[in-house]
Amino acid sequence: MELNRRTLIAGTAVAGLTAAALGGTAHASGGRKPVKELFGKLGDGTKVYRWSLENGGTRMKVLSYGGIVQSLEVPDRRGRYANVSLGFDDLDDYVASSPYFGALIGRYGNRIDKGRFTLDGTAYQLSVNDGENSLHGGAQGFDKRVWDVEPFAEGSDVGLRLHYTSVDGEMGYPGTLRAKVTYTLTRDGDWRIDYEATTDKATVVNLTSHVYWNLAGESSGTIYDHELSIAASRFTPVDKGLIPTGELAKVAGTPFDFRRAKPVGRDIRSAHEQVLFGQGFDHNWALDKGITGRPEHAATLRDPSSGRSLQISTNEPGLQFYSGNFLDGTLVGTGGRVYRQGDGLCLETQHFPDSPNQPSFPSTVLRPGETYRTTTVHSFGS
């Protein structure tokens, strides 16, 4: 029987296994405050720090550069730990060549067609960094910014509060956006992300996390035998530039049907046009639950070899599943081995790609006086 920790949502514990039963250490009265160390310096001399935190049997290291999760360790069915997220050992690699390993993404996660949109009658041109499109906030998105980090240990939680202010016009986006992202490790070992943002001018915002998962352990090989389920009956087809066509297509009868768990690699070599466009999976699934007031189940990932599992809950309407198609053997990870195609996958909770140009998609507009708030919870099991 598979054992799973249950999620902790909105500060209320849901019944489940303790971390001690999973080979970790539970902190009934609260975990230890995160530990800070110098990780490196940017070319202009800016110091980048790494924070180490642990709670409920989950261990995580986070950089102030890009809010990057450099490593995340959880136990397998025998209590043996492994880092299940892809990343680098040094800062230079993150600056020079990272494909968003572990990073916070903003202002806008995913693609915007030709880097253009019109809001309230004004046309905006964004930084273009993915062919003719804007991807993940542009050439200098939130993943390449140094965040202010405040550690905390409160009650049974430990975590980090990350702050960044994006000035009006940065990467072409209107309005000064004040972003706050809270990483929390709960007593059950869940990793919860709470995103908040405010603006002084109408803008668009879509924040997410870009961890590459391999539950067998970083540098262990492909994720094609991982079993994935996504609670979605429809997805958003794309054109050759990976921009949504505006259609919400049924997954039934296609390689995109993950309503029941199946190996990631089962249909990844399909001749389906959408698989060819993405060179695998690089698409948004429209979650059946839609936008919800609190996080609800979106996806489950399981590695049969180790027994590790990951359950994702969110209040976002979409999930971008990217199967690591563009890892090409040129990057060396923390385990000292090169990353090749399919050595990790991303499950990015978010609003839909190109929503500012798609009136039928849920809106990503944020106006003065409003607060952008979303939450995603990652629950680990073995």
Side-chain angles (χ1 to χ4, degrees):
M1 178 179 70
E2 181 183 354
L3 303 179
N4 289 290
R5 289 174 240 182
R6 302 288 299 278
T7 58
L8 188 80
I9 299 174
T12 303
V14 183
L17 288 172
T18 65
L22 293 164
T25 302
H27 300 279
S29 59
R32 293 173 295 176
K33 194 172 183 178
V35 176
K36 175 183 178 182
E37 63 183 321
L38 181 66
F39 186 70
K41 295 182 180 180
L42 298 176
D44 64 0
T46 301
K47 293 180 179 180
V48 172
Y49 294 96
R50 179 169 66 181
W51 300 86
S52 299
L53 53 160
E54 178 179 0
N55 203 11
T58 298
R59 305 166 180 168
M60 187 161 64
K61 294 182 178 179
V62 177
L63 307 182
S64 57
Y65 179 78
I68 289 169
V69 175
Q70 189 211 11
S71 71
L72 195 152
E73 298 181 347
V74 291
D76 66 7
R77 61 167 63 94
R78 297 182 181 178
R80 298 174 300 189
Y81 276 83
N83 174 19
V84 297
S85 67
L86 276 57
F88 295 121
D89 273 331
D90 61 75
L91 180 60
D92 289 345
D93 285 336
Y94 282 109
V95 173
S97 55
S98 178
Y100 306 100
F101 284 150
L104 281 176
I105 301 298
R107 290 189 190 191
Y108 198 97
N110 222 307
R111 294 173 174 87
I112 294 180
D113 187 23
K114 297 180 178 61
R116 301 172 189 165
F117 70 92
T118 299
L119 179 59
D120 296 340
T122 300
Y124 295 96
Q125 177 62 60
L126 308 176
S127 166
V128 171
N129 62 326
D130 181 53
E132 62 180 5
N133 303 318
S134 183
L135 175 66
H136 294 333
Q140 296 290 323
F142 287 7
D143 60 295
K144 296 177 179 65
R145 306 294 180 174
V146 176
W147 292 65
D148 294 326
V149 181
E150 174 193 356
F152 67 87
E154 299 171 354
S156 60
D157 294 340
V158 300
L160 305 170
R161 297 185 181 96
L162 300 99
H163 300 265
Y164 176 70
T165 298
S166 175
V167 299
D168 184 24
E170 185 175 274
M171 295 295 104
Y173 287 91
T176 294
L177 189 83
R178 300 183 185 278
K180 174 185 174 183
V181 180
T182 304
Y183 289 169
T184 303
L185 289 184
T186 74
R187 64 180 297 167
D188 294 318
D190 295 343
W191 173 35
R192 188 176 71 234
I193 311 177
D194 294 292
Y195 304 90
E196 295 182 24
T198 58
T199 185
D200 62 359
K201 183 179 180 180
T203 190
V204 295
V205 60
N206 187 30
L207 307 183
T208 190
S209 171
H210 209 288
V211 172
Y212 285 68
W213 301 102
N214 187 323
L215 297 183
E218 178 271 343
S219 290
S220 65
T222 76
I223 42 74
Y224 293 152
D225 61 350
H226 280 37
E227 297 168 351
L228 174 66
S229 64
I230 303 175
S233 302
R234 296 179 182 270
F235 76 107
T236 53
V238 296
D239 62 19
K240 291 181 179 179
L242 301 181
I243 296 295
T245 64
E247 179 187 4
L248 290 178
K250 293 181 179 180
V251 300
T254 77
F256 296 83
D257 192 350
F258 284 89
R259 290 174 295 175
R260 291 188 178 183
K262 68 177 181 181
V264 168
R266 176 176 293 176
D267 298 317
I268 206 165
R269 305 298 181 198
S270 167
H272 191 285
E273 180 182 62
Q274 287 295 307
V275 177
L276 295 176
F277 284 168
Q279 298 182 38
F281 299 108
D282 193 4
H283 296 74
N284 168 69
W285 271 252
L287 298 171
D288 289 340
K289 68 175 190 59
I291 299 173
T292 48
R294 56 181 287 167
E296 294 184 11
H297 177 70
T300 299
L301 183 68
R302 183 177 181 274
D303 169 43
S305 64
S306 66
R308 294 188 186 94
S309 64
L310 166 63
Q311 294 189 47
I312 296 179
S313 301
T314 186
N315 54 10
E316 290 276 36
L319 180 81
Q320 182 82 10
F321 165 37
Y322 167 57
S323 53
N325 316 322
F326 303 113
L327 297 174
D328 60 4
T330 62
L331 305 176
V332 179
T334 51
R337 301 180 65 183
V338 298
Y339 293 140
R340 299 190 182 276
Q341 187 177 51
D343 280 358
L345 63 81
C346 302
L347 298 168
E348 306 158 58
T349 57
Q350 57 190 294
H351 271 55
F352 300 173
D354 199 37
S355 290
N357 296 310
Q358 303 281 353
S360 64
F361 287 178
S363 175
T364 54
V365 174
L366 179 69
R367 299 186 180 279
E370 299 175 343
T371 300
Y372 169 97
R373 288 191 179 93
T374 74
T375 298
T376 294
V377 180
H378 305 78
S379 299
F380 303 97
S382 57

